[in-house]
Amino acid sequence: MMKVYTHKNINQIQKYIPKDCNVFAIIDNKVKDYFREFKNWNFIGIDALENAKTLGTAGDICSRLMEKKADRNCFILGIGGGVTTDLAGFVASVYKRGVKFALVPTTLLSAADAAIGGKNGVNHLGIKNMMGTITQPEWVFQSTEFFRTLDLRVFREGIAEMLKTFLLMDEESFFEGAEFFSHYDHKSPSPTQEQHLRSLVRRCAELKMNLVEKDEFDHGARMFLNLGHTFGHALESYYEGEILHGETVAAGILASARLSVKLGVMEEKTLNLITDCFSACGILFRFGVKATDLVKYIANDKKISGGSIWFILPEEIGTKSEARSIPVPQFKALCKGLVL
Ligand SMILES: NC(=O)c1ccc[n+]([C@@H]2O[C@H](COP(=O)([O-])OP(=O)(O)OC[C@H]3O[C@@H](n4cnc5c(N)ncnc54)[C@H](O)[C@@H]3O)[C@@H](O)[C@H]2O)c1
């Protein structure tokens, strides 16, 4: 399984790069400045837009690798948020039938989640992550140094994904994270706070990796990580990229919790507790979209099989969730009256 290196500063990265390899950094243009001192790397800058996470962009990156004569022994670094790490991982896993790569996530969301677990890919015809591979990077390098330049909205996307992981697997971290983020100013944190953030991000990544180790190719346990994503991806398709992934996931988690209450899986008081924690962390989003209007997007979801939809229903914070196969007509009925 891949390794995760967590450091305060990015200058530590050099020691993990294999010797005698040409490094090709597929990098989000917004974070290029952080890497000015790495003069011996070849940089391929991209504008990290969700609607550019496509086969076309992946093809362009491959063309640029060919122009720069990247051979099978090259080492690819994917540096940026989830859009960049998903694209770079995809390119690395198909370029010349696969070359070694590592990821350097620069958003909270990608450090705690997107860069972890080997899933990469591109969107197609407006559907999220329709094509991709599951290929593990050699390592992931986490540093909180990057997060200070994130927009607040983007930082909060990461909070949503982290609370999702903790909600599924670690009660103590869920409440610790909710308390921490309710007071955290990501633009000017104290060194102690930043250290605390590093430990939370690392813990979150480790929880995800433990699950991925049990089910790397997503045939069972890993599906729990989809909590909130069925509604989330549908909302993203509905808005055609106007709202951010983490925002839709946050709304999707609460909608799933409300379905859980409807089905008698979760107690109302647990739903209220989760809602309060999301609100304190600034990730309580209300879009005013009827769940019934999202069903047509859900029909394209990879989690639909045999006329039923695999849905993750949270039950107790950090300890219990259920994966339930719900026939589409029943799902539609349950969606009535649910507004995201
Ligand atoms: N592979 C997986 O398992 C997985 C899991 C979750 C999400 N994802 C994917 O991740 C993507 C969302 O990731 P994201 O939220 O990181 O999006 P992103 O890559 O679009 O980054 C968000 C914004 O922040 C900017 N940015 C990145 N780093 C910055 C920095 N340090 N300072 C300032 N600006 C910076 C980017 O340019 C972009 O504008 C989606 O495409 C989603 O599908 C993948």
Side-chain angles (χ1 to χ4, degrees), residues 1 59 83 147 164 183 206 213 253 271 295 298 310 313 325:
M1 211 21 148
V83 165
F147 304 155
K164 176 206 75 179
H183 297 110
E206 281 167 355
E213 242 167 65
I253 294 168
L271 168 66
V295 173
I298 290 174
W310 277 101
L313 299 164
S325 170

Side-chain angles (χ1 to χ4, degrees), residues 1 16 43 58 90 152 201 204 229 232 250 260 264 330-331:
M1 211 21 148
Y16 302 116
F43 287 92
F90 180 65
L152 180 60
V201 170
C204 185
H229 282 62
S260 269
Q330 188 195 350
F331 182 74

Side-chain angles (χ1 to χ4, degrees), residues 57-99:
T57 305
D60 290 344
I61 297 171
C62 288
S63 308
R64 289 164 74 185
L65 286 167
M66 288 168 72
E67 279 161 28
K68 289 173 183 278
K69 312 250 182 302
D71 64 17
R72 290 193 59 211
N73 295 318
C74 73
F75 193 72
I76 287 184
L77 285 177
I79 308 174
V83 165
T84 310
T85 54
D86 274 13
L87 262 171
F90 180 65
V91 166
S93 67
V94 295
Y95 183 72
K96 299 204 177 224
R97 298 207 180 93
V99 295

